[in-house]
Amino acid sequence: MNPHLNQVVRFVRKGLPVELALPAFPAKSPNLNKVLGPLPDKAEEIAVRFLNDLCEQISTVYAPGARITICADGRVFADLIGVPDAHVSGYQSAMARLVAREAPAALRLFTLDDAAAGLDPVELRRRLDEHHGESVAQLREEIRTNSDTRAMYLGIVRFLVEDRLGPGYQGTRSALQRKSRDRAYGVVARSRAWGRLVGERFPDSVRLSIHPQPCGSAKLGILLGGGADSWLTPWHSVAVQGGGHFRLMKRIEAERLGAVLVHDGGRPSHFVLSNSCS
């Protein structure tokens, strides 16, 4: 905790809001068994409100409060996770509107597009790899010999397989697993490259993560919603209302429970469970 405490103390001594950086909100999963579509919905809205509430709670004990920079990384990974860049653009634009509406003072959005305005997505990723990337051979060796890195890699493989096993997938699972193992190396490398870029842009910010973090690590893990899988994220799930609260679950699970789909503004928003199912 000491590295994070030292960062916080620097802001407090200057009487400034504590700056936090959270790589998150990339794009909706392409698997429609998980999500409602390519745009943010009630799941993201709840997460944004949670982050805003967190900043407001901090302000009750430290008047300047805190500000969170959401480092939206969909553009970083789009070519590796099977999400069209057009979907990333739509998601980022909708997230910007959501943040402006729900948390204009506490949250802001930073994307790879902001790092080098005017470049196309392919060139943005090429430059990220060139200036902040690392040797794939070196990464493969680390995954082979380091248990923590290997566990992270295998988790990414699992997510990549799940995201492609949606309605309409016609290939074999074994072929998909082979491709996912190869692409997962790229995801790990790109994630680290993005982390280095974020570190350069926001060197003083306390780093947050949507993944569990061991005590004493460089990042603090943070939950964005509740569910049976407590680390399920809004972009891999849907919001389900029942029992007086919202929780996150995969779309197919909500439908199996008989939840009713709710639309808002003409778009699918979330599910509602009857009292007997909640």
Side-chain angles (χ1 to χ4, degrees), residues 240-247 272-275 277-278:
V240 180
Q241 186 178 20
H245 64 278
F246 280 96
R247 53 184 156 158
V272 175
L273 278 172
S274 66
N275 291 334
C277 298
S278 59

Side-chain angles (χ1 to χ4, degrees), residues 205-241:
S205 294
V206 178
R207 296 290 294 276
L208 304 178
S209 173
I210 59 166
H211 303 293
Q213 300 293 311
C215 184
S217 68
K219 302 176 184 178
L220 294 173
I222 184 171
L223 291 170
L224 296 177
D229 178 354
S230 60
W231 292 96
L232 193 61
T233 61
W235 49 95
H236 279 105
S237 62
V238 297
V240 180
Q241 186 178 20

Side-chain angles (χ1 to χ4, degrees), residues 101-166:
R101 185 182 78 235
E102 298 291 341
L107 307 183
R108 61 179 173 176
L109 215 61
F110 173 76
T111 71
L112 186 59
D113 302 61
D114 298 319
L119 298 180
D120 68 78
V122 174
E123 180 63 14
L124 283 170
R125 288 188 286 266
R126 188 195 68 78
R127 290 196 179 192
L128 178 65
D129 291 338
E130 178 182 350
H131 296 297
H132 297 88
E134 61 188 281
S135 163
V136 174
Q138 182 179 350
L139 177 59
R140 284 177 179 268
E141 178 63 16
E142 181 183 341
I143 289 172
R144 188 183 70 82
T145 58
N146 185 295
S147 59
D148 290 338
T149 307
R150 180 168 179 78
M152 176 183 63
Y153 164 79
L154 292 175
I156 291 171
V157 172
R158 177 173 63 86
F159 269 114
L160 291 174
V161 170
E162 285 183 356
D163 273 0
R164 288 301 182 95
L165 281 177

Side-chain angles (χ1 to χ4, degrees), residues 48-128:
V48 164
R49 288 179 176 174
F50 167 79
L51 294 174
N52 184 63
D53 289 346
L54 174 63
C55 292
E56 289 184 350
Q57 289 176 36
I58 292 172
S59 69
T60 64
V61 294
Y62 174 61
R67 291 187 303 211
I68 299 174
T69 299
I70 296 173
C71 302
D73 45 12
R75 190 77 73 206
V76 173
F77 301 110
D79 60 326
L80 297 169
I81 62 176
V83 175
D85 277 302
H87 286 190
V88 173
S89 296
Y91 186 88
Q92 288 180 173
S93 296
M95 279 298 301
R97 293 192 295 272
L98 177 60
V99 166
R101 185 182 78 235
E102 298 291 341
L107 307 183
R108 61 179 173 176
L109 215 61
F110 173 76
T111 71
L112 186 59
D113 302 61
D114 298 319
L119 298 180
D120 68 78
V122 174
E123 180 63 14
L124 283 170
R125 288 188 286 266
R126 188 195 68 78
R127 290 196 179 192
L128 178 65

